[in-house]
Amino acid sequence: MANTSGSNDPRAAAAARLRRLIPIGAGLAILIVVILIATAPRSGRGVDATATTPDAAPAVASTPTDTDPPAPDTSAAATTPATTSAPAPTPAPAAVAKSADTAGGRSSSGLHVRLHKVDLSAPPLPTIGGLDDPAVARMELEFCRQGAGIVRIPFANIWTTAKARRQAEAWYAARGTDKAGSVDPPAEEFRLELAKESLVPMGGQLITIPLLSARSITVNGTELNLVPASCWKSDGVGRFVAEVLNGKDEPIVRIERTWRLDEWDIELDQQIVNLTGEDLAIRWSQYGPPNLIPDRARYMDRRRMRFGYLLGQEHDPDRLAGVVADGAMLLELTDVANEGNSPVLWPNELSREEGYELSWFASTNRYFAMAIHPLLDAQGRGDVAFGDVVGEITRYTSRVNDEPVILTGLMWPGGGAPDATLKAGGTKSLSMGVYAGPLEESILSGDQPYKTLNMRGLILYQMSSFCAICTFQWLAHILLAVLAFFDHYVVFDWGVAIILLVMCVRTLLHPITRRSQMGMQKFGRQMQKLKPEMDKLQKKYPGDKKKIQEEQMRLFRERGINPLQMLGCLPMFLQMPIWVALYAGLYFSFDLRQEPAFWGVFQDLWGWPFLADLASPDHFFWESAEPFKFMLWNITGINLLPLLMGAVFFFQQKYMTPSTSMSPEQETQQKIMRVMMVVLFPVMLYSAPSGLTLYILTSSTIGILESRHIRKKVEAMDFDTIAPKPAPAASGRAAKDPKARAYTKMMDRRKQQRNKGPEKNFKKRK
């Protein structure tokens, strides 16, 4: 019998050895896994990435809102030594993505942004444009690696004061001549900056956010912060590149940002490239136009945010209506800064309800705009819709030194839409144009692509959105067109053009003014003749105002006196729309900015600031270097024209108004009107544009001369005899005089009401 014991069976010996090797192999495998986990790169690399789970709300995760502050720059270059010395806030620990998908053989787990060394001692990055010759470049773009954005945008030949502008013109004219060394350029502090990087409070310090800088990119559910300077490599003048890597440091996505400058337009060529063989889910977020620097005078802070939009495919499939920019969809700075309002600016309730599509978005101040828009060719051809680049616009609000700071966020796709799919090896273009220039009619109405995009709608002669119709924009356009005609082709001076406009308006209103003032003079003379009889009525019916009024009307009718012949304040009311429209036009028109009156004679002879800028106060006695607050006004100097305007009003009220018999109540009302005209009106217009006060002062002076001429004509008329009681109309026919006919009908109605008596009530018979 064969021996079958285990000690001699070779299969049993092999099984025993296998049982001893299995625990050893399992232990080695566990040890290798632990070593790999301990030494593998962590998601986000600490400071440059912030991971989010796929089921997180994308609209909040990648756009700046009131509850989601801007992504901080935790690199060495992120803080501003001039404003803070506190260390940068410690970033939150990066979460690990839930999935470990593969992308063309490359894992999409452990995503992070490639980091580059930041040399703080390195010179500033090369700029685009220049400030030396306005004929070569309108502005200069200063860049930084932080978010691959713009530090500031100064203009080559636009200045904050009229004095600096005149000095710059003299300096440019002297260059290349023998007077080149005798004229100095203006100080850099007077050079106008359209916008600059914003300072926002975060973590107890101020963090800088460059203009139009990148904020974040989300790849397969992982959001990566692109603000730190270490994320970007400068790859040429105005060109920046960032790369998204996986846990094995393999490139997954490349982001390219290239800036170009063309006249007033900044082109941002922005590409997101998929470097894998598989589709990726992406979401892009960057900063948009912030609130611009306010006007120096700050007489009225009219910084706004505006939209140009299309009616949508349902209402206008062929785009026949073009871009709509009528000022209806307008947000004042106070509306945007109100934390109680929705942080989402677009799409808003109206655009969703009507199906509007975004075409452009702008931030404006009194004279300038920064507007993002789609790229069109030189002939203005291309897609005017912007929804494939900007799906949602949000805002983040803060305050620094008691000044509002508004940052806008641009996200694609919109917050309510799922992440976009970037095809394998594909490229997504998020390029845009940025208009950074003045609100000048000739540019926005005549140059492309602004003409096609109807960006002329950015020019809005409107004091506030609360009462838009009250500013008579259509009238402001007409008045400015007339002024421009006088300035360009007749007198070549805006101040004299305003005086000519006054003469045109007074000539058109002269028939009404003449009839009104002649009626006032006639009525005053007639009332003086009737004063004894009026006094008798007061004594006959003491305390009975209704009876006195009826008897006065009877007396007026019998003597042929018509109070309506004065036309009341009709001439004044007809001029008020002109004043309001001219006020808005002079305040917002870039053409009148820093334009002197009377060919600049005061500045050429004595360097006097008087009427050096028709869009600012006249500065007769003195001009301050910086505006200062006094009660409700920002004072920039001591002005003369408002004081002269009050003196003219006083003279006009005291000496040119005809005296009439008035009751005590009427005399009190007259005194109140005098105080308003003589005191309150000049006070309210003390810091108004000098072009407006020049118009009102000239108009009032011409009005005094006109009244004197009319008074002489009235004095030559015979009003000594009071007209007798008119004869009754023949056989039911009304009087031919329309004034007498009106009074006859009015008195007949009153008699009928008196004779009618109380209404009779008839009881129903049983």
Side-chain angles (χ1 to χ4, degrees):
M1 178 182 290
N3 191 356
T4 58
S5 64
S7 56
N8 297 324
D9 190 352
R11 289 176 297 180
R17 288 194 299 272
L18 183 61
R19 286 194 295 271
R20 289 193 296 271
L21 290 175
I22 287 176
I24 297 173
L28 290 175
I30 293 173
L31 180 61
I32 292 172
V33 171
V34 170
I35 293 174
L36 289 176
I37 293 176
T39 58
R42 291 180 173 82
S43 174
R45 296 288 178 91
V47 300
D48 63 304
T50 303
T52 57
T53 57
D55 56 349
V60 178
S62 57
T63 56
T65 65
D66 289 332
T67 57
D68 180 23
D73 186 353
T74 55
S75 66
T79 59
T80 304
T83 58
T84 178
S85 58
T90 304
V96 179
K98 288 185 177 180
S99 63
D101 302 332
T102 59
R106 298 179 184 178
S107 172
S108 61
S109 62
L111 296 180
H112 59 278
V113 180
R114 185 190 297 275
L115 298 181
H116 304 276
K117 182 179 179 181
V118 177
D119 186 2
L120 298 179
S121 62
L125 296 178
T127 61
I128 293 180
L131 303 176
D132 295 332
D133 191 350
V136 175
R138 304 282 188 178
M139 66 191 78
E140 185 177 71
L141 306 182
E142 297 183 12
F143 301 104
C144 65
R145 288 173 54 182
Q146 185 178 346
I150 300 174
V151 176
R152 68 186 192 111
I153 306 177
F155 288 121
N157 194 26
I158 299 180
W159 309 87
T160 58
T161 65
K163 181 179 179 180
R165 175 185 172 178
R166 294 193 304 272
Q167 186 176 351
E169 290 174 351
W171 181 65
Y172 284 125
R175 288 196 310 180
T177 66
D178 54 354
K179 299 180 180 179
S182 61
V183 181
D184 296 326
E188 282 297 314
E189 62 185 277
F190 295 110
R191 188 183 297 278
L192 183 69
E193 290 182 349
L194 174 67
K196 59 183 178 181
E197 58 187 1
S198 302
L199 294 174
V200 295
M202 184 177 299
Q205 59 182 337
L206 295 178
I207 303 299
T208 59
I209 303 296
L211 297 168
L212 304 170
S213 57
R215 185 179 185 271
S216 67
I217 185 172
T218 302
V219 181
N220 288 350
T222 301
E223 185 185 19
L224 305 173
N225 182 15
L226 295 175
V227 174
S230 56
C231 294
W232 295 91
K233 177 183 178 182
S234 179
D235 195 19
V237 179
R239 176 176 168 80
F240 301 88
V241 177
E243 286 185 316
V244 177
L245 310 178
N246 62 10
K248 298 180 181 179
D249 284 346
E250 298 172 330
I252 300 295
V253 172
R254 185 174 70 251
I255 306 163
E256 302 171 354
R257 306 189 97 209
T258 304
W259 299 91
R260 302 182 183 91
L261 181 61
D262 181 16
E263 292 287 332
W264 298 108
D265 212 63
I266 304 170
E267 180 182 338
L268 172 58
D269 184 6
Q270 194 164 237
Q271 309 291 331
I272 301 177
V273 184
N274 185 349
L275 301 177
T276 72
E278 298 290 338
D279 296 348
L280 298 176
I282 64 168
R283 181 174 293 274
W284 173 257
S285 175
Q286 71 173 80
Y287 292 101
N291 59 321
L292 301 185
I293 300 172
D295 181 67
R296 176 179 178 270
R298 296 195 180 190
Y299 176 55
M300 288 184 297
D301 191 354
R302 283 294 172 260
R303 287 178 286 175
R304 296 161 170 159
M305 294 197 172
R306 302 282 311 281
F307 302 93
Y309 55 92
L310 303 163
L311 297 183
Q313 292 291 338
E314 181 179 352
H315 299 90
D316 186 21
D318 297 326
R319 305 295 194 201
L320 298 178
V323 180
V324 180
D326 54 3
M329 199 172 294
L330 175 148
L331 294 173
E332 299 283 357
L333 181 67
T334 53
D335 300 328
V336 182
N338 187 353
E339 296 183 358
N341 294 335
S342 171
V344 180
L345 304 181
W346 183 279
N348 50 50
E349 183 178 353
L350 179 60
S351 67
R352 291 192 186 97
E353 181 179 344
E354 300 294 337
Y356 295 154
E357 297 179 31
L358 182 67
S359 180
W360 48 259
F361 168 66
S363 175
T364 66
N365 59 13
R366 180 180 177 184
Y367 291 121
F368 300 94
M370 175 181 283
I372 56 172
H373 60 82
L375 292 175
L376 307 180
D377 62 16
Q379 287 72 39
R381 294 172 302 198
D383 189 1
V384 296
F386 209 27
D388 199 35
V389 176
V390 177
E392 183 176 279
I393 304 174
T394 58
R395 63 103 171 98
Y396 167 73
T397 304
S398 62
R399 298 192 73 87
V400 177
N401 297 328
D402 203 31
E403 284 288 329
V405 177
I406 311 296
L407 294 179
T408 61
L410 313 177
M411 185 171 67
W412 181 84
D419 291 0
T421 300
L422 183 59
K423 295 294 184 180
T427 299
K428 171 60 181 177
S429 175
L430 294 173
S431 301
M432 64 182 69
V434 183
Y435 177 75
L439 296 173
E440 189 171 357
E441 183 88 18
S442 60
I443 298 174
L444 298 176
S445 298
D447 296 349
Q448 294 290 4
Y450 321 122
K451 183 177 180 180
T452 299
L453 294 172
N454 192 23
M455 291 178 67
R456 178 182 180 272
L458 286 171
I459 302 174
L460 195 64
Y461 304 123
Q462 181 175 310
M463 307 310 293
S464 69
S465 57
F466 176 73
C467 188
I469 194 174
C470 300
T471 52
F472 307 100
Q473 289 195 66
W474 60 271
L475 185 56
H477 283 282
I478 294 175
L479 294 176
L480 289 175
V482 173
L483 283 176
F485 173 78
F486 287 152
D487 174 74
H488 299 344
Y489 302 105
V490 181
V491 294
F492 309 103
D493 179 79
W494 288 100
V496 180
I498 290 175
I499 295 176
L500 288 181
L501 179 63
V502 172
M503 298 174 67
C504 291
V505 173
R506 299 296 307 198
T507 301
L508 292 175
L509 296 179
H510 177 72
I512 299 176
T513 304
R514 180 176 179 274
R515 184 174 179 181
S516 173
Q517 294 193 7
M518 289 186 69
M520 290 176 64
Q521 300 286 345
K522 180 179 178 181
F523 182 73
R525 299 274 293 275
Q526 290 173 333
M527 288 299 294
Q528 288 178 0
K529 298 296 181 182
L530 283 179
K531 191 175 186 307
E533 298 187 45
M534 300 287 289
D535 293 340
K536 290 180 181 179
L537 292 177
Q538 296 286 342
K539 294 178 181 180
K540 186 176 181 180
Y541 306 103
D544 193 349
K545 295 182 179 180
K546 184 176 181 181
K547 186 64 177 177
I548 293 174
Q549 185 179 14
E550 290 178 356
E551 292 297 321
Q552 285 179 351
M553 296 299 294
R554 179 188 60 80
L555 193 59
F556 287 169
R557 186 181 60 170
E558 291 177 353
R559 301 304 177 88
I561 300 175
N562 181 13
L564 298 180
Q565 64 188 334
M566 297 187 297
L567 299 181
C569 297
L570 181 60
M572 177 69 73
F573 286 143
L574 290 177
Q575 289 192 73
M576 287 303 294
I578 298 176
W579 290 1
V580 174
L582 190 65
Y583 193 171
L586 293 176
Y587 187 78
F588 288 106
S589 176
F590 182 79
D591 291 335
L592 272 82
R593 181 181 184 269
Q594 297 178 354
E595 288 292 337
F598 310 122
W599 303 279
V601 62
F602 302 113
Q603 293 75 47
D604 293 338
L605 296 180
W606 308 286
W608 194 5
F610 181 53
L611 291 176
D613 184 359
L614 288 170
S616 298
D618 59 85
H619 299 150
F620 180 79
F621 293 107
W622 166 72
E623 181 180 12
S624 63
E626 290 293 334
F628 62 92
K629 190 78 173 180
F630 178 73
M631 297 180 66
L632 301 177
W633 299 270
N634 284 297
I635 303 299
T636 58
I638 305 300
N639 308 319
L640 175 66
L641 294 187
L643 305 179
L644 289 178
M645 189 167 57
V648 170
F649 285 163
F650 175 79
F651 180 81
Q652 191 175 26
Q653 291 281 340
K654 187 172 182 64
Y655 298 104
M656 303 307 296
T657 303
S659 60
T660 59
S661 177
M662 293 184 294
S663 63
E665 294 83 0
Q666 292 173 332
E667 291 179 355
T668 303
Q669 294 177 359
Q670 189 74 10
K671 290 180 181 179
I672 294 175
M673 288 297 296
R674 287 178 180 176
V675 172
M676 291 183 61
M677 291 293 292
V678 175
V679 179
L680 293 183
F681 208 57
V683 167
M684 289 188 299
L685 295 177
Y686 183 79
S687 297
S690 57
L692 177 67
T693 53
L694 177 64
Y695 179 94
I696 299 176
L697 180 62
T698 306
S699 180
S700 301
T701 304
I702 294 178
I704 292 175
L705 300 176
E706 185 180 27
S707 298
R708 186 169 180 175
H709 174 71
I710 295 173
R711 172 170 286 194
K712 288 183 177 180
K713 285 193 172 184
V714 173
E715 289 176 351
M717 298 180 182
D718 183 16
F719 297 120
D720 292 335
T721 59
I722 299 178
K725 181 178 179 179
S731 62
R733 290 167 51 187
K736 294 183 179 180
D737 184 7
K739 301 174 186 176
R741 186 168 60 247
Y743 274 98
T744 302
K745 290 182 179 180
M746 182 174 61
M747 295 304 298
D748 290 342
R749 285 196 299 269
R750 294 205 174 187
K751 285 182 179 180
Q752 290 175 5
Q753 292 175 358
R754 241 185 357 256
N755 298 331
K756 186 177 181 181
E759 295 183 359
K760 297 180 180 180
N761 296 326
F762 297 92
K763 294 183 180 180
K764 185 177 180 181
R765 295 182 180 180
K766 295 182 180 180

